[in-house]
């Protein structure tokens, strides 16, 4: 269950399924108006997701899409910073006359897809056109509404990309500024006023949020004029009913007296206060980039994409803090993920390798060795002394995994009457993990393996094969005796 702005609860699966379905139906309607002979079986759907999402979130999105009628084998996920990177690496950079590749003095650099058709409207002369170079390292800052999603890629042969640091980031997108703004309003109007406003006039509340969204995109470092916002009439009604205070009375009693003015139905906020709403998310982004640079070393370029990267304050902060790195903020940065997702759909192996964010493994009970196993883990299994709950890794955190690479393990049933086999998969935040009960380990999912029918003299061993190099962890099982391949059940929820 998830809660809306007014506190009402609804199934998350229903909300997300209908949201995906709305976009799907809209596209199909548009296609039917403009095309002939296109149906759903001709389409492979791509859903873009943050790279920092857990496996359970990916499964949730897949189930939500399938619930609305999208076939699972016609659906893929593109990681948003990867999609943006694919797009940005495919375009050519147009530099202004007199600008050098490392010059960060301009607000942004234009980008074009075709050097034969440079838009005249961008006002740039054809000084230099180039794509990212072979071996060039680039950090992608995907700064969207909810999250800052960051990856580092290196350009390879055939325009493919190699991930050199696992995806990272946090809740430092544009909505972090919104939270600061509404916290600011709640300080002197009161939380009940804001809640009343939303409950009694949601449409006006949404319009008010959109008005602030427009204003926050125009604030830059040099802004000194107060930011003016118009309050709906219903807001004053909410204030009167909740606290019996008029707006000016509430304002004069707050810490913002003299810095915030109410003139008629408008609120004028000192520019310094509004800039303060940006400080926390911007500082978090800068600090995180600094940490990544210490790990990955020198990089040639930082690409900024996503709606929050359009904010002048964000743009300036990145340029000021990293003056020796070329900063590329494409003109159509808001669409970079969308366009990159289309590229990914046609070239799903364009990112040739990724870095494992976690250590994946499964539980084994090996022969007890008193020199390496603690005595309290000694158990008897089938008359043999074994060590219980040992974590056996498929792949370790920080390992480079190429697209299409797999890791295999062989499993045997405990007895002849067993019809299926369950393998518990665990994930660890540490590189070296010994036992599934360690504090850094959690159960991820269970694989259900169908076992071959018990026949005299025939092996019932089953081999599981996990693929880690794609945007999702995929699994299949093979009967050793017959070579029959099965798709295993994978459940993270």
């Amino acid at each position: 269950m998830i809660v809306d702005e007014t506190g009402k609860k609804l199934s998350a699966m229903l909300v997300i399924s209908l949201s995906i379905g709305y976009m799907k139906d809209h596209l199909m309607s548009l296609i039917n108006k403009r095309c002939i002979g296109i149906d759903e079986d001709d389409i492979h759907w791509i859903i873009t997701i943050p790279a920092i999402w857990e496996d359970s979130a990916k499964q949730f999105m897949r189930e939500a899409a399938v619930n609305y009628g999208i076939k699972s084998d016609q659906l893929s996920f593109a990681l948003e910073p990867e999609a943006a990177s694919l797009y940005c690496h495919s375009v050519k950079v147009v530099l202004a006359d007199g600008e050098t590749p490392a010059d960060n003095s301009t607000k942004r650099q234009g980008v074009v897809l075709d050097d034969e058709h440079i838009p005249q409207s961008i006002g740039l002369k054809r000084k230099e056109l180039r794509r990212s170079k072979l071996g060039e390292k680039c950090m992608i800052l995907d700064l969207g509404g909810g999250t800052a999603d960051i990856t580092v890629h290196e350009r390879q042969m055939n325009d493919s990309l190699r991930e050199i640091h696992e995806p990272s980031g946090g809740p430092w997108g544009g909505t972090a500024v919104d939270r600061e703004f509404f916290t600011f309003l709640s300080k002197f109007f009161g939380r009940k006023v804001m809640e009343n406003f939303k409950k009694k006039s949601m449409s006006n509340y949404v319009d008010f949020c959109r008005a602030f969204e427009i204003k926050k995109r125009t604030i830059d470092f040099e802004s000194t004029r107060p930011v003016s916002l118009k309050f709906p009439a219903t807001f004053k009604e909410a204030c009167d009913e909740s606290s019996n205070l008029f707006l000016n009375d509430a304002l004069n009693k707050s810490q913002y007296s003299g810095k915030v003015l109410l003139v008629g139905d408008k609120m004028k906020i000192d520019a310094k206060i509004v800039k303060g709403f940006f400080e926390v998310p911007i500082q978090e982004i800068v600090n995180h980039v600094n940490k990544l640079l210490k790990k990955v070393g020198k990089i040639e370029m930082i690409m900024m994409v996503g709606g929050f990267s359009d904010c002048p304050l964000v743009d300036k902060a990145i340029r000021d803090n990293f003056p020796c790195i070329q900063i590329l903020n494409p003109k159509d940065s808001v669409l970079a993920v969308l366009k990159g997702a289309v590229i990914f759909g046609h070239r799903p192996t364009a990112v040739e390798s990724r870095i494992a964010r976690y250590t994946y493994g499964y539980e084994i009970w090996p022969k007890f060795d008193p020199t390496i196993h603690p005595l309290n883990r000694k158990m008897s299994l089938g008359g043999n002394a074994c060590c219980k709950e040992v974590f056996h890794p498929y792949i370790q955190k920080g390992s480079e995994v190429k697209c299409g690479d797999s890791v295999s393990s062989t499993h045997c049933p405990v007895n002849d009457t067993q019809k299926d086999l369950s393998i518990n998969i665990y994930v660890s935040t540490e590189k070296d993990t010994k036992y599934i009960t360690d504090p850094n380990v959690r159960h991820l999912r269970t694989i259900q393996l169908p076992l071959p029918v018990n026949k005299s003299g025939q092996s019932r061993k089953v081999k599981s094969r996990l693929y880690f190099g794609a945007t999702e962890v995929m699994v299949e099982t093979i009967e050793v005796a017959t070579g029959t391949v099965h798709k295993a059940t994978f459940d993270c929820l």
Side-chain angles (χ1 to χ4, degrees), residues 44 54 78 81 104 111 113 145 153 162 164 176 182 185 206 222 255 318 320 335 379 421 462 485:
H44 191 88
E54 302 281 351
N104 287 334
V111 295
L113 287 170
H153 288 150
R162 170 178 169 257
I164 60 175
F182 283 97
L185 292 178
V206 172
E222 297 177 352
Q255 60 181 305
I318 297 298
D320 288 351
L335 298 177
M379 296 287 289
L421 190 66
V462 175
V485 178

Side-chain angles (χ1 to χ4, degrees), residues 95-301:
L95 298 180
D97 190 20
E99 181 186 1
T100 64
D103 183 7
N104 287 334
S105 60
T106 56
K107 179 182 176 182
R108 64 171 74 245
Q109 296 165 325
V111 295
V112 294
L113 287 170
D114 186 349
D115 62 352
E116 297 299 322
H117 301 90
I118 300 178
Q120 297 300 314
S121 60
I122 62 176
L124 298 176
K125 297 180 181 179
R126 192 187 303 201
K127 176 72 175 180
E128 179 181 342
L129 291 167
R130 74 170 184 89
R131 296 189 182 203
S132 59
K133 299 175 182 177
L134 179 66
E136 190 172 74
K137 293 180 183 178
C138 176
M139 179 180 292
I140 300 90
L141 303 185
D142 179 17
L143 310 179
T147 61
D149 217 5
I150 306 171
T151 56
V152 185
H153 288 150
E154 182 180 79
R155 182 72 175 270
Q156 303 294 295
M157 297 290 290
N158 303 320
D159 292 338
S160 63
L161 302 176
R162 170 178 169 257
E163 189 177 81
I164 60 175
H165 192 279
E166 66 268 22
S168 59
W172 315 314
T175 54
V177 180
D178 299 342
R179 287 194 297 270
E180 293 292 322
F181 173 59
F182 283 97
T183 299
F184 155 79
L185 292 178
S186 297
K187 282 183 179 178
F188 55 87
F189 292 130
R191 187 176 297 276
K192 289 184 178 180
V193 171
M194 302 307 298
E195 291 175 355
N196 235 14
F197 177 40
K198 288 188 288 187
K199 288 180 180 179
K200 296 199 172 187
S201 185
M202 178 55 70
S203 60
N204 284 336
Y205 171 77
V206 172
D207 290 340
F208 185 67
C209 292
R210 287 174 177 167
F212 177 69
E213 178 70 26
I214 294 171
K215 292 290 184 180
K216 78 181 185 183
R217 295 190 181 209
T218 63
I219 300 295
D220 60 32
F221 183 76
E222 297 177 352
S223 295
T224 56
R225 294 181 60 184
V227 176
S228 179
L229 287 166
K230 184 178 180 179
F231 275 114
T234 50
F235 185 81
K236 186 174 180 179
E237 294 172 6
C239 186
D240 290 341
E241 292 176 9
S242 294
S243 59
N244 295 316
L245 289 173
F246 291 98
L247 299 183
N248 277 311
D249 292 336
L251 180 59
N252 291 332
K253 293 179 180 180
S254 75
Q255 60 181 305
Y256 300 105
S257 178
K259 298 178 183 178
V260 180
L261 299 176
L262 289 169
V263 182
D265 59 353
K266 291 184 179 179
M267 171 182 261
K268 294 186 176 181
I269 311 171
D270 188 281
K272 289 183 179 180
I273 294 177
V274 178
K275 291 176 188 178
F277 302 154
F278 292 80
E279 289 180 0
V280 172
I282 287 177
Q283 194 57 54
E284 291 284 2
I285 293 168
V286 170
N287 290 344
H288 194 77
V289 171
N290 270 316
K291 290 178 183 178
L292 289 179
L293 290 175
K294 290 179 181 179
K295 293 181 180 179
V296 303
K298 181 183 177 182
I299 64 171
E300 284 72 29
M301 184 185 297

